[in-house]
Amino acid sequence: MESEDTKKTQEMKTDLNLLLECLKHQMDNAFSQKEALVTIHSICQQNSNASVYFREIGGLMFVKNLAKSSEHSMVKEAALYTLGAIAEKNVYCQQTLCTSELFEDLTWFLSNDSNINLKRMSVYVILVLVSNNRTGQTLVRETSCITVLSRLFRTVLSKHELDLSDKNVFQSYQLWSSVCSTLCVCVNNPQNDDNQMFCCSLFPHANEWLKNCMKPEIIRPICSFIALTLANNTYVQKYFISVGGLDVLAQVLMQLESDSHETLSSAKLAVVVTKTLDACIADNPTFGIVLCKYHIVSKLLALLLHESLDSGEKFSIMLTLGHCTEDCEENQYDLFKHNGLPLMIQALTESQNEELNKAATFVLYNCKKITEKLSLSLGEYPFDENETQQLKDINVNEKNFEEHWKKAKEILHRIEQLEREGNREEIQRENYQDNISSMNISIQNTWKNLHGDHIGQGTKAEDKDKSHSRQLQSYKSHGVMSKAYTNDDQMKTPLKSANPVHACYRQSERNKTSYKAKSSCNQNLHEETTFENNFASQSSDHVFKHPVHIAKNIKQQLPVTDPFTLCSDIINKEVVSFLATDSCSKMLAYRCSGCIAVEKSLNSRNFSKLLHSCPYQCDRHRVIVEAEDRYKSELRKSLICNKKILLTPCRRRRLSNESTTPGGIKTRRIRKNFTEEEVNYLFNGVKKMGNHWNLILWSFPFQQGRKAVDLAHKYHKLTKRPKCAAS
C-alpha cells in the first residue's frame, strides 16, 4: 500500500510539473492554456496534497499573474476558476492569495466592461478568499471591493419581473446570486461589524425586491443577506426597522402563509422569512410590537400546523413565537385568542425533540403573567381600561379558554416547582435540625409533666378542661393546627374519631358489650400521646412521616366501668392541651429514633444500635429489633451447639485454609526458580510501571503461583547483585 501511495504521489507531482511547463511555453495558444488549467483544477480536487505541492513549485503565483496579464478572456476565466478552487481546497493557498494586490485586480475586473462570466469568476474568487477569513473581510473593505459588490447588487437585475427562461436574464441572475452570497460572507462568519454597517445601506433596495417579486429565487438570497447583516447588531436592526424592513417581512410572511395551503414550496419559503424575522427581533424583543398590527402570531400558529414541516422548521417557528411574545402583551393575547396555548402544551408533552420542548417551554414561560391575569376574574386583578375591555371580548367570544387556562396553570406550576426544588430541600433540612434539637431538650420533662397530670386529674378535670380549651385557642391562633379545622369542635371531632379509645367506647355503647384494655393506664396513655403527635406532625408542613399507631390487645370481657375508658375524654383533653402549648417542639417529643433520623448517615451497624437505645420504638421498628435479636440468638445457639465459634476474620481464615491441607497439615508452596524470560519481564515492567508489583504481575505471563511479593523480593535481590542484573 505504501508503495502504491508513493507511486501515485510521484505521478501527481510529475503531472503538475508538466502542466506548469505547458502553461509557460504555450503563451500564444489560449486553448492549450485553458485545457492545462482545467486539468490542474481536476488534479487538485482529487488530491488534497496537490494544492500544497503546486504552491511549492510556484504554480499558484504563476496562475495568478496569468489571470492578470493574459489577453484572452477565456484564459482569465479559467485561471480565476483554478485559483478559487485551489484556495477553497487548502487554507494555506487561501492565505497566500489573500493580498491587497489580488483584491485590487479583482475589483478592476468587476468595474470594467468585462463579460458576465469573467465577473462571475472574479466574484467566486472573492467569495473564497473572504469566507472564514477576517483578513479577507478587512481587505475587501479597504480595497473598495465591497463598494463594487454593492453596486452590482443594485444594478445587475434592473427589472422586478424576471424571466429566467431567457439566457441573458439567467446569466445576470447567476451573477446577482453570487454577489448576494459574497456579501453574506463579508458580514458574517466571522461577524464583521464594519461590513455590516456598510451593507445596511442596501436594505431599502432589498425591501423593494421583496415587495415586487415573490419568487423563491429572489426571496431566499435576500432573506439570507438581511439575516446575516443584522445578526447580533442592534444598530443595524434599528435601521432595518426604521426603513420599514420588518413591515415588509411581515407582509411577505402573510402572503406566503396564505399560499402555503395550496403549495408546499410556499410553506418552506415562509419558514425562511420567519427565520429572517426572528433574527431582527431576537436581540430586542420590544420590536415585536411592530408585528401586532399584522397578527403575525396567528400566522405563525397556522404555519406551525402545516404537516410538511420537519422538527427543525417547527423549532424555528416556535422560537420566533417566543421572541414575539417575550415583551409584548398584545402578541400574548393573540397567542391565547388563536389557541396557541394547547399547541405549546401538546408540543411539550408529545414531542421527543429536546430543542422543540425548550422552545415550547420558552413560549409558555413568556405567557406566565398573562396566564395569571386570565385565570383571575376582572374584579380581583387591577386592570387598565384597555386590558379590561380586551378581557371582556375574549371571555365573550372564546368560552373554551378555561380548560386551556387550567392546563397552562399546571405547566406554569410545574416550572415554578422546578425553580423551588433546590430551596425546599434546604428549608426542610433547617426545620429538621431545629425540631430535633428542641425535642432532645424537652423530651424527658414533657413526659414527666404529662404523666403527673394524668395521675392527679381525678378532682380537677373540669378546671383543666377550661384552661386547656383556652390554651387550644391560643395554640390555633399561632397557626400550628391544620387550616381545615376552624374551631374547637371541628378540631376535637376528628381527634375523637381517630382515637382508638373513643372508637372502642362508641362501639361498646352501640353493641351493649364492654371492652377491657389489657395494658396498663400508662401504656395506653403513651399510645394516645404517640398518635396525637403523629397527627400534629402531619399538620406541621409535613416535615416528618411515620406509620399510624392503633390500639392493640382489646378483648370483650369487662363492662364500661373500666376506669381508663371512663376517663378517656379527660385524657384526650390532656393530650390536646399538651399539643396546644407554645413550645412546638413538644409535638415531636415521643418519636421513634428510627423514624426521625432520616438524614443521618446510617448503616447496618449504627442503625441497629440506634433502635436498641430508643425507649419509644414504633411498631414497625420494634418488630425489626425483635426479629434481629431473635436471629442473633438462634445463630449464637447454633454456633455453640456445633462447636464452631469462629472469631477469626474471614480474610485471615481464608488465607489459613489455603496454607493447610484437608488433613490440617501446613504445607509450603513448591519453589519455582525465575526463568530468564521472567527476569526480563520483571525488569521491563519496573522500567515501564515502576514498583507497582501487582500491575507488573498482571501485565506479563509469569509462571502460575507467582505473587506480587515474589516479584518484589526477586527484584531487590537482583538489584543488590549488579552482575546478575546486567546478565
Side-chain angles (χ1 to χ4, degrees), residues 307-320:
E307 298 179 354
S308 62
L309 301 181
D310 57 18
S311 59
E313 293 169 335
K314 290 183 179 180
F315 169 74
S316 300
I317 296 173
M318 283 191 178
L319 192 61
T320 307

Side-chain angles (χ1 to χ4, degrees), residues 541-574:
D541 298 333
H542 303 276
V543 178
F544 303 103
K545 295 183 180 179
H546 55 85
V548 180
H549 299 275
I550 58 175
K552 297 183 179 180
N553 301 325
I554 300 177
K555 297 182 180 179
Q556 303 178 6
Q557 291 180 356
L558 295 180
V560 296
T561 57
D562 180 65
F564 181 73
T565 305
L566 292 175
C567 67
S568 60
D569 292 337
I570 300 175
I571 294 174
N572 182 64
K573 293 177 182 179
E574 291 287 338

Side-chain angles (χ1 to χ4, degrees), residues 682 685-686 689-699 702 707-716:
L682 181 59
V686 173
M689 308 171 192
N691 294 335
H692 300 284
W693 308 113
N694 275 326
L695 189 59
I696 296 172
L697 179 63
W698 300 333
S699 301
F702 290 96
K707 296 183 179 180
V709 66
D710 298 337
L711 302 184
H713 290 165
K714 184 63 176 178
Y715 180 76
H716 290 305

Side-chain angles (χ1 to χ4, degrees), residues 152-209:
L152 291 175
F153 180 81
R154 294 189 184 95
T155 59
V156 169
L157 293 179
S158 58
K159 297 181 180 180
H160 294 145
E161 296 180 0
L162 290 179
D163 184 11
L164 297 180
S165 60
D166 189 354
K167 182 178 179 180
N168 295 329
V169 175
F170 183 71
Q171 290 181 350
S172 299
Y173 168 76
Q174 286 182 325
L175 176 60
W176 179 83
S177 178
S178 300
V179 170
C180 287
S181 301
T182 306
L183 289 174
C184 289
V185 298
C186 287
V187 298
N188 210 301
N189 197 22
Q191 180 180 348
N192 192 296
D193 295 337
D194 296 331
N195 290 348
Q196 284 180 328
M197 296 287 290
F198 180 86
C199 291
C200 68
S201 61
L202 300 175
F203 285 159
H205 183 74
N207 292 339
E208 290 297 325
W209 271 105

